[in-house]
Amino acid sequence: LGHFVPRTSGDLYLGYDPTIRPTPISFSSFSSTAGLNLVGASAVVGGALRLTPAVTGQIGTMWAQAKQSCASGFDTRFQLRFSDQGSFPATPSGGDGIAFTLQKIGPTNPNPHFNTSPADGSVSVFFNTFLNWPGSTDFTLWDVSDNSVGVVSNGLYLAQTDLTPRGINLKDGAAHYARVAFDGTGLTVWLDGVMVLTNVPVPGMASAVDVAGKAWVGFGASTGWAWEDQDILSWTFGGPTPGTSF
């Protein structure tokens, strides 16, 4: 059980706070990468964690070296940025996107864990910037747009949403603020203060965690016939935020 948090005298408090846990991961920038593994194309550029440069055929991942408690709930927040888009002729510009992922393979895993990834138990929130494949109607396999967010497990979408009708453009070169919260049963995702996915069922993160309920957490990105700089600017990861009701 959690505990009540004292309030100042005179406050009327009828709520309940989850157990307060320290935030084990906190990077306001990546001038230091202590405690992180950078894999493949990932590198620090100007204080940002650049998962891929704007070059074709790149894959980069970054993982916290220590496993994190995930099964009973977590709250993670990060800034991401996509810029300097390009592509081969006749290919739409910019791709492929960034995934925040929980996995139990290891802290040097090179897989960015998008849709169509191997069925390895991982669970990702995928910020997608390239449309695969136009005209498809199977949205467990393929993207709803080139500007979307989805929850991916075992290489398939559990849910996804097009960001364009919400007035959010991932490829505008600006920093975008993401939050992913898990209450032990469902994932909720916010982007730029807008709730874009709500209570997507992933009970206990069962496929992604070990017997102790822990997983390696981090990010992955790739480029192909289209490319862009894909950056993480800041990141925190910890237990449920005090005072938050899921």
Side-chain angles (χ1 to χ4, degrees):
L1 294 176
H3 58 272
F4 287 102
V5 176
R7 296 300 198 271
T8 58
S9 177
D11 284 346
L12 178 62
Y13 179 60
L14 302 176
Y16 177 76
D17 290 270
T19 300
I20 299 174
R21 289 183 257 173
T23 301
I25 297 172
S26 182
F27 290 89
S28 59
S29 74
F30 293 94
S31 53
S32 169
T33 58
L36 303 177
N37 287 338
L38 278 57
V39 183
S42 296
V44 175
V45 179
L49 193 289
R50 180 153 294 166
L51 293 165
T52 71
V55 179
T56 185
Q58 302 294 298
I59 300 175
T61 63
M62 177 269 281
W63 307 104
Q65 293 171 357
K67 280 185 170 180
Q68 303 296 313
S69 295
C70 299
S72 62
F74 63 81
D75 192 312
T76 187
R77 305 176 193 220
F78 46 92
Q79 296 178 71
L80 62 169
R81 180 179 63 202
F82 303 91
S83 60
D84 197 17
Q85 282 83 13
S87 64
F88 288 119
T91 301
S93 184
D96 289 313
I98 293 175
F100 165 74
T101 300
L102 298 86
Q103 50 91 7
K104 56 186 177 185
I105 297 166
T108 59
N109 181 3
N111 188 344
H113 294 285
F114 297 166
N115 57 314
T116 72
S117 292
D120 57 15
S122 63
V123 175
S124 299
V125 178
F126 180 31
F127 299 84
N128 172 57
T129 60
F130 191 86
L131 178 58
N132 288 304
W133 289 95
S136 172
T137 57
D138 185 349
F139 296 121
T140 63
L141 286 173
W142 308 118
D143 313 314
V144 295
S145 81
D146 65 351
N147 183 46
S148 57
V149 176
V151 175
V152 176
S153 180
N154 284 316
L156 298 174
Y157 279 114
L158 303 180
Q160 58 174 317
T161 187
D162 185 1
L163 296 173
T164 303
R166 301 173 185 267
I168 299 172
N169 177 13
L170 288 174
K171 294 195 282 191
D172 61 6
H176 293 276
Y177 296 80
R179 178 186 176 197
V180 179
F182 180 60
D183 65 356
T185 302
L187 273 170
T188 298
V189 181
W190 292 260
L191 190 60
D192 296 336
V194 178
M195 186 181 292
V196 294
L197 292 169
T198 308
N199 291 326
V200 179
V202 195
M205 287 285 163
S207 66
V209 299
D210 63 17
V211 293
K214 294 184 176 183
W216 284 286
V217 298
F219 299 88
S222 71
T223 66
W225 284 27
W227 52 81
E228 60 200 352
D229 291 335
Q230 302 185 102
D231 299 337
I232 302 296
L233 307 180
S234 64
W235 180 32
T236 63
F237 181 98
T241 300
T244 298
S245 177
F246 291 101

